[in-house]
Amino acid sequence: MNLAVMGMQFGDEGKGKIVDYLAERFDIIARYCGGSNAGHTVVWHGKKFKLHLVPSGVLRGKIGVLGNGMVIDLEVLKKELEELKDEGIEPRIVISSRAHVVTPLHREMDALEDKIRNIGTTKRGIGPTYETKVKRIGIRIIDLFNREELKKKLRLISRFWNMDVRDDEIERVSRMLHSLAMEFRNSVEDVEIWLQKAISSGKSVLFEGAQGAMLDVDFGTYPFVTSSNTNSLGIFSGLGLPPKLLDKVMGVSKAYTTRVGEGPFPTELKGKMAEELREKGHEYGATTGRPRRVGWLDLPILRYATLLNGIEEVALTKVDVLQGLKEIPVAVKYRCGNEIKEYPPPLLNKCEPIYEYLDGWDSLEDEAFKRYLEFIEKNVGVKIRIVSYGAEREETLEL
Ligand code: IMP
């Protein structure tokens, strides 16, 4: 059985923890989109691991795959693996020969571009690397092994972007990338073939989503999105797999909503309540440390994520953060001008949430908590299978 675990909101839903929790049941954990913009936090025996590129499941001793749909910063990957090694964890990873590479030029371009259009990107070079990919001037992992060709490619990018990068800088960057690639050469595979062979031989795969449904370049709150298909449709192009190999999709949602960066957020809270939730939920970005924007649960967003991804089951995270509130507003629909909408429309900034107010709870045994879960299930059309009430593996209920 191959399972996908997908973020249903704006990223940071707690996928890292859920993937880590479920990983035991799978042989391979594969990522297919994004890069080091992702920040998956996994807590294990009180120790916090922040993973950006390495799939979260490797903490369970599983093989971690980085698919062609990802954009890979080998400097970050190396650092991450060194940090894991310091903790005694030396995972087996497999990197797609066709994945595109983030270079210092891409990171520089990300910072420059975002000053002009202000999406609030993570400045990890993600957008520019997807840009050079579709522009057909990108650098793939496989291209790093030929230094002369690599230099030509770096010069081409610098020309396209009018960057005027000096020759000694091209020399330095190409040497650095080439030597990193050499360090990783035993991990590089044609993943589309490697993975299908593994599946044919009976191995099971967990597809680890990064970011969330509303950051998908096609279906998110464009232009305030990331540059890849973060939804389950991205799995197939991002790993080179046919859709029939995906058996089941689990969505991950917080019991409320958060967002980092700019863009529409209908249920956003301001003031004291926002601060309380932010502090209680430690809502600071895992990659950039930025305070996350916080708000109430938004069911039109969960409905849309369910529809786009084919979600049947949900893991609801951080329910402990809401505990102790008297009353909890939940957005059930939107009012967009004169229209009532059940799903987020392409111009979400024109919509106001319509709330229903549910009773709060003081413990997970309370009837009011059960009603909160049932309310979500009924309104979204999913089953809540996992409830997470803390960062540790043990703080998880399977229903
Ligand atoms: P980029 O992916 O760095 O280009 O950033 C685009 C938008 O997506 C920004 O608003 C980021 O804050 C957001 N973003 C990217 N990756 C993540 C993530 O893993 N979690 C939450 N937000 C993210």
Side-chain angles (χ1 to χ4, degrees), residues 332-352:
V332 288
K333 287 180 187 169
Y334 301 130
R335 183 171 290 106
C336 313
N338 303 325
E339 283 183 281
I340 302 296
K341 298 267 187 200
E342 285 188 28
Y343 295 94
L347 295 174
L348 186 55
N349 55 344
K350 303 269 186 276
C351 300
E352 293 286 324

Side-chain angles (χ1 to χ4, degrees), residues 225-294:
V225 292
T226 189
S227 301
S228 60
N229 281 122
T230 58
N231 282 314
S232 62
L233 52 97
I235 293 171
F236 314 112
S237 62
L239 282 161
L241 285 186
K244 67 177 181 193
L245 292 178
L246 174 60
D247 299 299
K248 201 173 193 178
V249 186
M250 175 178 272
V252 185
S253 169
K254 273 182 191 160
Y256 48 99
T257 312
T258 63
R259 170 163 210 170
V260 254
E262 301 302 312
F265 183 172
T267 62
E268 181 168 17
L269 282 161
K270 301 276 185 199
K272 195 160 156 277
M273 191 67 231
E275 273 160 40
E276 271 178 41
L277 282 184
R278 185 175 303 119
E279 288 315 310
K280 202 166 165 197
H282 312 291
E283 296 296 356
Y284 295 88
T287 300
T288 57
R290 289 178 286 178
R292 293 180 184 139
R293 300 157 67 191
V294 297

